[in-house]
Structures are given as structure tokens and as C-alpha cells.
mmCIF file of all heavy atoms in Angstrom:
data_model
loop_
_atom_site.group_PDB
_atom_site.id
_atom_site.type_symbol
_atom_site.label_atom_id
_atom_site.label_comp_id
_atom_site.label_asym_id
_atom_site.label_seq_id
_atom_site.Cartn_x
_atom_site.Cartn_y
_atom_site.Cartn_z
ATOM 1 N N GLU A 1 4.215 -18.338 16.784
ATOM 2 C CA GLU A 1 2.986 -17.789 16.237
ATOM 3 C C GLU A 1 2.811 -16.312 16.562
ATOM 4 O O GLU A 1 2.318 -15.544 15.694
ATOM 5 C CB GLU A 1 1.777 -18.544 16.814
ATOM 6 C CG GLU A 1 1.755 -20.023 16.355
ATOM 7 C CD GLU A 1 0.568 -20.776 16.932
ATOM 8 O OE1 GLU A 1 -0.253 -20.151 17.657
ATOM 9 O OE2 GLU A 1 0.413 -21.973 16.652
ATOM 10 N N ASP A 2 3.171 -15.893 17.728
ATOM 11 C CA ASP A 2 3.028 -14.450 18.075
ATOM 12 C C ASP A 2 3.882 -13.574 17.155
ATOM 13 O O ASP A 2 3.425 -12.554 16.722
ATOM 14 C CB ASP A 2 3.435 -14.248 19.509
ATOM 15 C CG ASP A 2 2.421 -14.878 20.495
ATOM 16 O OD1 ASP A 2 1.286 -15.130 20.025
ATOM 17 O OD2 ASP A 2 2.801 -15.152 21.643
ATOM 18 N N LYS A 3 5.094 -14.026 16.894
ATOM 19 C CA LYS A 3 5.982 -13.246 16.077
ATOM 20 C C LYS A 3 5.458 -13.182 14.607
ATOM 21 O O LYS A 3 5.529 -12.133 13.952
ATOM 22 C CB LYS A 3 7.380 -13.815 16.091
ATOM 23 C CG LYS A 3 8.439 -12.919 15.411
ATOM 24 C CD LYS A 3 9.840 -13.465 15.626
ATOM 25 C CE LYS A 3 10.855 -12.545 15.048
ATOM 26 N NZ LYS A 3 12.259 -13.026 15.265
ATOM 27 N N VAL A 4 4.921 -14.337 14.130
ATOM 28 C CA VAL A 4 4.353 -14.363 12.797
ATOM 29 C C VAL A 4 3.174 -13.363 12.683
ATOM 30 O O VAL A 4 3.062 -12.623 11.718
ATOM 31 C CB VAL A 4 3.873 -15.787 12.457
ATOM 32 C CG1 VAL A 4 3.035 -15.799 11.208
ATOM 33 C CG2 VAL A 4 5.078 -16.738 12.321
ATOM 34 N N ARG A 5 2.332 -13.392 13.754
ATOM 35 C CA ARG A 5 1.186 -12.458 13.720
ATOM 36 C C ARG A 5 1.630 -11.016 13.727
ATOM 37 O O ARG A 5 1.064 -10.171 13.019
ATOM 38 C CB ARG A 5 0.307 -12.736 14.977
ATOM 39 C CG ARG A 5 -0.957 -11.958 14.969
ATOM 40 C CD ARG A 5 -2.022 -12.595 15.922
ATOM 41 N NE ARG A 5 -1.433 -12.913 17.253
ATOM 42 C CZ ARG A 5 -1.198 -14.141 17.621
ATOM 43 N NH1 ARG A 5 -1.523 -15.202 16.867
ATOM 44 N NH2 ARG A 5 -0.704 -14.392 18.836
ATOM 45 N N GLU A 6 2.657 -10.689 14.487
ATOM 46 C CA GLU A 6 3.157 -9.304 14.554
ATOM 47 C C GLU A 6 3.730 -8.879 13.149
ATOM 48 O O GLU A 6 3.431 -7.793 12.671
ATOM 49 C CB GLU A 6 4.241 -9.233 15.580
ATOM 50 C CG GLU A 6 4.907 -7.846 15.696
ATOM 51 C CD GLU A 6 6.032 -7.862 16.716
ATOM 52 O OE1 GLU A 6 6.076 -8.816 17.522
ATOM 53 O OE2 GLU A 6 6.844 -6.924 16.734
ATOM 54 N N ARG A 7 4.472 -9.758 12.569
ATOM 55 C CA ARG A 7 5.069 -9.462 11.260
ATOM 56 C C ARG A 7 3.967 -9.324 10.142
ATOM 57 O O ARG A 7 4.077 -8.484 9.282
ATOM 58 C CB ARG A 7 6.052 -10.524 10.852
ATOM 59 C CG ARG A 7 7.296 -10.550 11.738
ATOM 60 C CD ARG A 7 8.160 -9.319 11.497
ATOM 61 N NE ARG A 7 9.446 -9.466 12.167
ATOM 62 C CZ ARG A 7 9.894 -8.547 13.073
ATOM 63 N NH1 ARG A 7 9.189 -7.535 13.343
ATOM 64 N NH2 ARG A 7 11.095 -8.725 13.596
ATOM 65 N N THR A 8 2.967 -10.161 10.287
ATOM 66 C CA THR A 8 1.861 -10.122 9.320
ATOM 67 C C THR A 8 1.128 -8.754 9.364
ATOM 68 O O THR A 8 0.834 -8.196 8.369
ATOM 69 C CB THR A 8 0.876 -11.286 9.549
ATOM 70 O OG1 THR A 8 1.588 -12.499 9.444
ATOM 71 C CG2 THR A 8 -0.233 -11.226 8.491
ATOM 72 N N GLU A 9 0.897 -8.311 10.577
ATOM 73 C CA GLU A 9 0.252 -6.991 10.720
ATOM 74 C C GLU A 9 1.046 -5.848 10.165
ATOM 75 O O GLU A 9 0.523 -4.970 9.490
ATOM 76 C CB GLU A 9 -0.055 -6.738 12.211
ATOM 77 C CG GLU A 9 -1.103 -7.671 12.831
ATOM 78 C CD GLU A 9 -1.231 -7.473 14.333
ATOM 79 O OE1 GLU A 9 -0.416 -6.699 14.906
ATOM 80 O OE2 GLU A 9 -2.134 -8.119 14.914
ATOM 81 N N ALA A 10 2.377 -5.963 10.374
ATOM 82 C CA ALA A 10 3.263 -4.921 9.790
ATOM 83 C C ALA A 10 3.243 -4.992 8.273
ATOM 84 O O ALA A 10 3.279 -3.929 7.582
ATOM 85 C CB ALA A 10 4.684 -5.083 10.309
ATOM 86 N N LEU A 11 3.187 -6.178 7.770
ATOM 87 C CA LEU A 11 3.169 -6.404 6.301
ATOM 88 C C LEU A 11 1.868 -5.804 5.714
ATOM 89 O O LEU A 11 1.912 -5.140 4.649
ATOM 90 C CB LEU A 11 3.314 -7.848 5.979
ATOM 91 C CG LEU A 11 3.247 -8.231 4.439
ATOM 92 C CD1 LEU A 11 4.423 -7.598 3.740
ATOM 93 C CD2 LEU A 11 3.287 -9.725 4.289
ATOM 94 N N GLU A 12 0.782 -6.040 6.347
ATOM 95 C CA GLU A 12 -0.492 -5.497 5.853
ATOM 96 C C GLU A 12 -0.503 -4.003 5.864
ATOM 97 O O GLU A 12 -0.991 -3.373 4.942
ATOM 98 C CB GLU A 12 -1.643 -6.039 6.753
ATOM 99 C CG GLU A 12 -1.910 -7.545 6.537
ATOM 100 C CD GLU A 12 -2.972 -8.079 7.492
ATOM 101 O OE1 GLU A 12 -3.326 -7.283 8.403
ATOM 102 O OE2 GLU A 12 -3.409 -9.237 7.330
ATOM 103 N N GLN A 13 0.124 -3.399 6.869
ATOM 104 C CA GLN A 13 0.154 -1.962 6.947
ATOM 105 C C GLN A 13 1.050 -1.408 5.807
ATOM 106 O O GLN A 13 0.698 -0.385 5.158
ATOM 107 C CB GLN A 13 0.741 -1.536 8.279
ATOM 108 C CG GLN A 13 0.798 -0.011 8.455
ATOM 109 C CD GLN A 13 1.326 0.406 9.814
ATOM 110 O OE1 GLN A 13 1.693 -0.457 10.628
ATOM 111 N NE2 GLN A 13 1.363 1.687 10.078
ATOM 112 N N ALA A 14 2.151 -2.129 5.579
ATOM 113 C CA ALA A 14 3.011 -1.661 4.490
ATOM 114 C C ALA A 14 2.348 -1.787 3.136
ATOM 115 O O ALA A 14 2.466 -0.937 2.252
ATOM 116 C CB ALA A 14 4.323 -2.479 4.466
ATOM 117 N N ASN A 15 1.625 -2.917 2.942
ATOM 118 C CA ASN A 15 0.888 -3.114 1.662
ATOM 119 C C ASN A 15 -0.177 -2.039 1.459
ATOM 120 O O ASN A 15 -0.425 -1.585 0.334
ATOM 121 C CB ASN A 15 0.314 -4.501 1.620
ATOM 122 C CG ASN A 15 1.290 -5.578 1.332
ATOM 123 O OD1 ASN A 15 2.350 -5.276 0.733
ATOM 124 N ND2 ASN A 15 0.995 -6.774 1.748
ATOM 125 N N GLY A 16 -0.863 -1.661 2.572
ATOM 126 C CA GLY A 16 -1.820 -0.607 2.464
ATOM 127 C C GLY A 16 -1.235 0.731 2.046
ATOM 128 O O GLY A 16 -1.772 1.438 1.177
ATOM 129 N N SER A 17 -0.062 1.039 2.560
ATOM 130 C CA SER A 17 0.632 2.236 2.182
ATOM 131 C C SER A 17 1.095 2.184 0.739
ATOM 132 O O SER A 17 1.011 3.187 -0.016
ATOM 133 C CB SER A 17 1.838 2.475 3.069
ATOM 134 O OG SER A 17 1.459 2.616 4.421
ATOM 135 N N LEU A 18 1.532 0.994 0.289
ATOM 136 C CA LEU A 18 1.951 0.812 -1.057
ATOM 137 C C LEU A 18 0.786 0.994 -2.039
ATOM 138 O O LEU A 18 0.911 1.623 -3.078
ATOM 139 C CB LEU A 18 2.596 -0.571 -1.258
ATOM 140 C CG LEU A 18 3.111 -0.911 -2.599
ATOM 141 C CD1 LEU A 18 4.241 0.015 -3.054
ATOM 142 C CD2 LEU A 18 3.614 -2.388 -2.630
ATOM 143 N N LYS A 19 -0.363 0.453 -1.687
ATOM 144 C CA LYS A 19 -1.528 0.578 -2.532
ATOM 145 C C LYS A 19 -1.961 2.030 -2.637
ATOM 146 O O LYS A 19 -2.303 2.535 -3.734
ATOM 147 C CB LYS A 19 -2.687 -0.250 -1.925
ATOM 148 C CG LYS A 19 -3.971 -0.207 -2.760
ATOM 149 C CD LYS A 19 -5.049 -1.034 -2.164
ATOM 150 C CE LYS A 19 -6.295 -1.004 -3.006
ATOM 151 N NZ LYS A 19 -7.411 -1.828 -2.422
ATOM 152 N N HIS A 20 -1.860 2.773 -1.496
ATOM 153 C CA HIS A 20 -2.213 4.191 -1.565
ATOM 154 C C HIS A 20 -1.296 4.963 -2.439
ATOM 155 O O HIS A 20 -1.691 5.833 -3.221
ATOM 156 C CB HIS A 20 -2.168 4.750 -0.121
ATOM 157 C CG HIS A 20 -2.452 6.189 -0.022
ATOM 158 N ND1 HIS A 20 -3.730 6.743 -0.286
ATOM 159 C CD2 HIS A 20 -1.631 7.271 0.268
ATOM 160 C CE1 HIS A 20 -3.686 8.050 -0.158
ATOM 161 N NE2 HIS A 20 -2.438 8.376 0.165
ATOM 162 N N ALA A 21 0.029 4.634 -2.362
ATOM 163 C CA ALA A 21 1.012 5.312 -3.193
ATOM 164 C C ALA A 21 0.737 5.002 -4.688
ATOM 165 O O ALA A 21 0.853 5.898 -5.525
ATOM 166 C CB ALA A 21 2.434 4.898 -2.794
ATOM 167 N N ASN A 22 0.403 3.763 -4.990
ATOM 168 C CA ASN A 22 0.121 3.423 -6.372
ATOM 169 C C ASN A 22 -1.091 4.134 -6.904
ATOM 170 O O ASN A 22 -1.164 4.531 -8.048
ATOM 171 C CB ASN A 22 -0.069 1.908 -6.492
ATOM 172 C CG ASN A 22 1.268 1.131 -6.472
ATOM 173 O OD1 ASN A 22 2.266 1.673 -6.926
ATOM 174 N ND2 ASN A 22 1.246 -0.083 -6.030
ATOM 175 N N GLU A 23 -2.079 4.280 -6.054
ATOM 176 C CA GLU A 23 -3.329 5.001 -6.496
ATOM 177 C C GLU A 23 -3.014 6.458 -6.783
ATOM 178 O O GLU A 23 -3.535 7.037 -7.727
ATOM 179 C CB GLU A 23 -4.388 4.894 -5.383
ATOM 180 C CG GLU A 23 -5.023 3.538 -5.249
ATOM 181 C CD GLU A 23 -5.684 3.070 -6.543
ATOM 182 O OE1 GLU A 23 -6.306 3.912 -7.226
ATOM 183 O OE2 GLU A 23 -5.597 1.859 -6.883
ATOM 184 N N ARG A 24 -2.131 7.041 -5.992
ATOM 185 C CA ARG A 24 -1.732 8.425 -6.233
ATOM 186 C C ARG A 24 -0.998 8.516 -7.579
ATOM 187 O O ARG A 24 -1.181 9.475 -8.325
ATOM 188 C CB ARG A 24 -0.858 8.895 -5.088
ATOM 189 C CG ARG A 24 -1.540 9.213 -3.836
ATOM 190 C CD ARG A 24 -2.387 10.459 -3.873
ATOM 191 N NE ARG A 24 -1.597 11.649 -4.248
ATOM 192 C CZ ARG A 24 -0.940 12.396 -3.359
ATOM 193 N NH1 ARG A 24 -1.003 12.038 -2.035
ATOM 194 N NH2 ARG A 24 -0.241 13.439 -3.705
ATOM 195 N N LEU A 25 -0.134 7.533 -7.853
ATOM 196 C CA LEU A 25 0.575 7.560 -9.099
ATOM 197 C C LEU A 25 -0.358 7.424 -10.312
ATOM 198 O O LEU A 25 -0.218 8.129 -11.329
ATOM 199 C CB LEU A 25 1.610 6.421 -9.115
ATOM 200 C CG LEU A 25 2.893 6.622 -8.321
ATOM 201 C CD1 LEU A 25 3.703 5.362 -8.318
ATOM 202 C CD2 LEU A 25 3.684 7.807 -8.887
ATOM 203 N N LYS A 26 -1.361 6.550 -10.169
ATOM 204 C CA LYS A 26 -2.355 6.393 -11.263
ATOM 205 C C LYS A 26 -3.116 7.669 -11.455
ATOM 206 O O LYS A 26 -3.364 8.061 -12.591
ATOM 207 C CB LYS A 26 -3.310 5.292 -10.890
ATOM 208 C CG LYS A 26 -2.703 3.861 -10.963
ATOM 209 C CD LYS A 26 -3.781 2.797 -10.617
ATOM 210 C CE LYS A 26 -3.177 1.411 -10.698
ATOM 211 N NZ LYS A 26 -4.128 0.399 -10.231
ATOM 212 N N GLN A 27 -3.464 8.333 -10.370
ATOM 213 C CA GLN A 27 -4.238 9.579 -10.511
ATOM 214 C C GLN A 27 -3.376 10.674 -11.185
ATOM 215 O O GLN A 27 -3.892 11.350 -12.071
ATOM 216 C CB GLN A 27 -4.626 10.054 -9.110
ATOM 217 C CG GLN A 27 -5.524 11.314 -9.154
ATOM 218 C CD GLN A 27 -5.978 11.717 -7.759
ATOM 219 O OE1 GLN A 27 -5.459 11.231 -6.751
ATOM 220 N NE2 GLN A 27 -6.896 12.615 -7.666
ATOM 221 N N ASN A 28 -2.142 10.770 -10.781
ATOM 222 C CA ASN A 28 -1.236 11.738 -11.441
ATOM 223 C C ASN A 28 -1.047 11.430 -12.904
ATOM 224 O O ASN A 28 -0.973 12.332 -13.756
ATOM 225 C CB ASN A 28 0.110 11.788 -10.717
ATOM 226 C CG ASN A 28 0.035 12.492 -9.383
ATOM 227 O OD1 ASN A 28 -0.898 13.212 -9.108
ATOM 228 N ND2 ASN A 28 1.005 12.240 -8.529
ATOM 229 N N PHE A 29 -0.980 10.145 -13.255
ATOM 230 C CA PHE A 29 -0.801 9.745 -14.652
ATOM 231 C C PHE A 29 -2.023 10.151 -15.443
ATOM 232 O O PHE A 29 -1.864 10.660 -16.561
ATOM 233 C CB PHE A 29 -0.568 8.235 -14.714
ATOM 234 C CG PHE A 29 -0.317 7.706 -16.085
ATOM 235 C CD1 PHE A 29 0.840 7.987 -16.768
ATOM 236 C CD2 PHE A 29 -1.301 6.946 -16.750
ATOM 237 C CE1 PHE A 29 1.064 7.500 -18.041
ATOM 238 C CE2 PHE A 29 -1.076 6.444 -17.999
ATOM 239 C CZ PHE A 29 0.113 6.738 -18.636
ATOM 240 N N LEU A 30 -3.215 9.947 -14.903
ATOM 241 C CA LEU A 30 -4.417 10.301 -15.643
ATOM 242 C C LEU A 30 -4.498 11.835 -15.790
ATOM 243 O O LEU A 30 -4.957 12.298 -16.874
ATOM 244 C CB LEU A 30 -5.645 9.817 -14.842
ATOM 245 C CG LEU A 30 -7.005 9.948 -15.586
ATOM 246 C CD1 LEU A 30 -6.951 9.255 -16.944
ATOM 247 C CD2 LEU A 30 -8.122 9.364 -14.747
ATOM 248 N N VAL A 31 -4.054 12.584 -14.812
ATOM 249 C CA VAL A 31 -4.040 14.024 -14.934
ATOM 250 C C VAL A 31 -3.104 14.429 -16.117
ATOM 251 O O VAL A 31 -3.405 15.319 -16.899
ATOM 252 C CB VAL A 31 -3.616 14.693 -13.652
ATOM 253 C CG1 VAL A 31 -3.324 16.182 -13.856
ATOM 254 C CG2 VAL A 31 -4.691 14.515 -12.582
ATOM 255 N N SER A 32 -1.992 13.762 -16.230
ATOM 256 C CA SER A 32 -1.079 14.032 -17.306
ATOM 257 C C SER A 32 -1.685 13.747 -18.649
ATOM 258 O O SER A 32 -1.511 14.502 -19.612
ATOM 259 C CB SER A 32 0.211 13.208 -17.153
ATOM 260 O OG SER A 32 0.867 13.492 -15.906
ATOM 261 N N ILE A 33 -2.420 12.624 -18.728
ATOM 262 C CA ILE A 33 -3.105 12.295 -19.969
ATOM 263 C C ILE A 33 -4.083 13.361 -20.351
ATOM 264 O O ILE A 33 -4.184 13.780 -21.510
ATOM 265 C CB ILE A 33 -3.824 10.928 -19.853
ATOM 266 C CG1 ILE A 33 -2.808 9.780 -19.691
ATOM 267 C CG2 ILE A 33 -4.754 10.659 -21.007
ATOM 268 C CD1 ILE A 33 -1.887 9.605 -20.886
ATOM 269 N N LYS A 34 -4.884 13.825 -19.416
ATOM 270 C CA LYS A 34 -5.887 14.869 -19.700
ATOM 271 C C LYS A 34 -5.218 16.141 -20.158
ATOM 272 O O LYS A 34 -5.721 16.843 -21.068
ATOM 273 C CB LYS A 34 -6.761 15.132 -18.433
ATOM 274 C CG LYS A 34 -7.674 13.966 -18.105
ATOM 275 C CD LYS A 34 -8.473 14.247 -16.816
ATOM 276 C CE LYS A 34 -9.376 13.092 -16.481
ATOM 277 N NZ LYS A 34 -10.156 13.303 -15.241
#
């Protein structure tokens, strides 16, 4: 259980970074459209 909890926390952090990167891509795409 401890190892699962550690890996889960790392996964959440990675997903947060991925979401942030995707938001940046969306913003750049909208700037291109404008």
C-alpha cells in the first residue's frame, strides 16, 4: 500500500504538469487563430 500511495502521488503530479502543458498549447492555438 505504501508503494501504491507513493506512485499515485507521482502520477497526480505528472498529470498536473500534463494538464498545464495542454492548456498552454490551447492558448497558443487560440492566439494563432486570432
Side-chain angles (χ1 to χ4, degrees):
E1 295 181 359
D2 291 340
K3 190 173 183 178
V4 170
R5 185 162 46 252
E6 178 183 345
R7 293 291 189 236
T8 301
E9 291 173 356
L11 179 61
E12 289 175 350
Q13 183 178 2
N15 282 336
S17 299
L18 181 61
K19 182 179 180 181
H20 178 69
N22 282 331
E23 288 300 322
R24 287 288 302 275
L25 284 174
K26 288 179 181 179
Q27 184 178 12
N28 287 340
F29 182 70
L30 188 57
V31 169
S32 300
I33 292 298
K34 291 178 180 178

